[in-house]
Amino acid sequence: MNLRVVLTPGELRPGEVAGACVFVIDILRATTTMCAALHHGAKAIIPVTGIDEAREVAARFEGEGEGEGERPMLAGERGADPVPGFDLGNSPGEMTAAAVAGRLLVMTTTNGTRALRAVAQAASVHPLAAVNFSAAVQRARSVRQDGGRVVVVCAGMVGQPSREDAYCAGRFGRDVVGSAGGAGLSDQTRWCLDLAEEFGDDWYAALMASTAGRKLSEHGYAEDVRVAG
């Protein structure tokens, strides 16, 4: 397939992402939320692993710009809910132009930002979700055509594979490589492709079939699942 998929960051081999173009998936919800923030004009997003680290990083940037619009914003969640004292949670609907345009975001989430930090040594790192899927596919095709390596890293859920990220990875691999790239696939990559075949192009059905999709909907974040799909 000439495209490596790992279902959790813990499956990465030492040095594997060095020099590679990496796509990180946490479709529910970190990478969807990041794409929304960037689409609506956020200056940049710094992913960090911990809450205290987020506050420390934001403090280092405090006062470097001019005016309130330059103050770093804290964003993230724990247990799906916004972190107390943070400016924003982890919902794509919060990332409006009025809220984030021109702003630097420092973000921490349970799974997604940890995955992003795990691939910091890559040549380039891109969040991947349904909302930027077509552009990401084109980028990956271009990298492969130029002889580069593409690695897809699913954030998973607390160290375990997640169905929704695997589905996204399966669709991505299928669209980037095509049907001719199926020789020598790993079992985990085949599972991703099987999910893509099972749900076809129905993002929402795939997300709602996942544990994360159901839990978020039950927890009051059904709209986030709809936006992500």
Side-chain angles (χ1 to χ4, degrees):
M1 191 177 189
N2 195 23
L3 181 147
R4 165 97 160 130
V5 175
V6 296
L7 296 180
T8 68
E11 296 177 6
L12 286 167
R13 298 186 288 259
E16 179 172 7
V17 300
C21 175
V22 176
F23 293 85
V24 173
I25 306 171
D26 184 10
I27 193 168
L28 292 176
R29 296 170 287 171
T31 53
T32 299
T33 299
M34 289 176 178
C35 288
L38 294 170
H39 176 74
H40 287 108
K43 181 189 299 183
I45 301 171
I46 301 176
V48 298
T49 57
I51 293 171
D52 290 342
E53 182 188 5
R55 292 192 172 105
E56 291 168 3
V57 170
R60 291 204 295 269
F61 285 90
E62 191 80 41
E64 290 192 5
E66 297 180 2
E68 175 67 16
E70 294 295 330
R71 183 181 68 82
M73 299 186 76
L74 290 167
E77 56 75 30
R78 286 298 183 271
D81 293 325
V83 177
F86 275 28
D87 301 291
L88 299 163
N90 186 33
S91 292
E94 294 180 272
M95 304 299 164
T96 63
V100 303
R103 306 294 291 272
L104 170 66
L105 274 61
V106 181
M107 189 170 182
T108 177
T109 67
T110 304
N111 302 297
T113 58
R114 292 178 182 275
L116 286 159
R117 293 299 302 163
V119 299
Q121 300 305 312
S124 62
V125 180
H126 309 271
L128 174 58
V131 293
N132 72 331
F133 189 79
S134 295
V137 167
Q138 292 302 317
R139 171 62 178 159
R141 286 175 177 170
S142 177
V143 169
R144 293 181 71 250
Q145 287 170 0
D146 291 340
R149 291 187 299 115
V150 175
V151 179
V152 180
V153 179
C154 299
M157 183 182 294
V158 196
Q160 298 299 314
S162 65
R163 189 180 183 94
E164 70 280 3
D165 289 350
Y167 165 75
C168 183
R171 282 193 61 170
F172 188 69
R174 179 197 66 190
D175 288 6
V176 170
V177 178
S179 59
L185 297 181
S186 66
D187 287 345
Q188 61 186 20
T189 302
R190 289 188 184 281
W191 179 53
C192 295
L193 292 171
D194 287 346
L195 286 171
E197 182 175 355
E198 177 182 353
F199 290 100
D201 294 337
D202 195 339
W203 287 101
Y204 184 72
L207 299 187
M208 284 304 297
S210 71
T211 299
R214 292 191 299 271
K215 285 186 174 180
L216 283 168
S217 295
E218 293 166 359
H219 201 62
Y221 297 107
E223 180 63 12
D224 287 358
V225 180
R226 189 196 66 77
V227 170

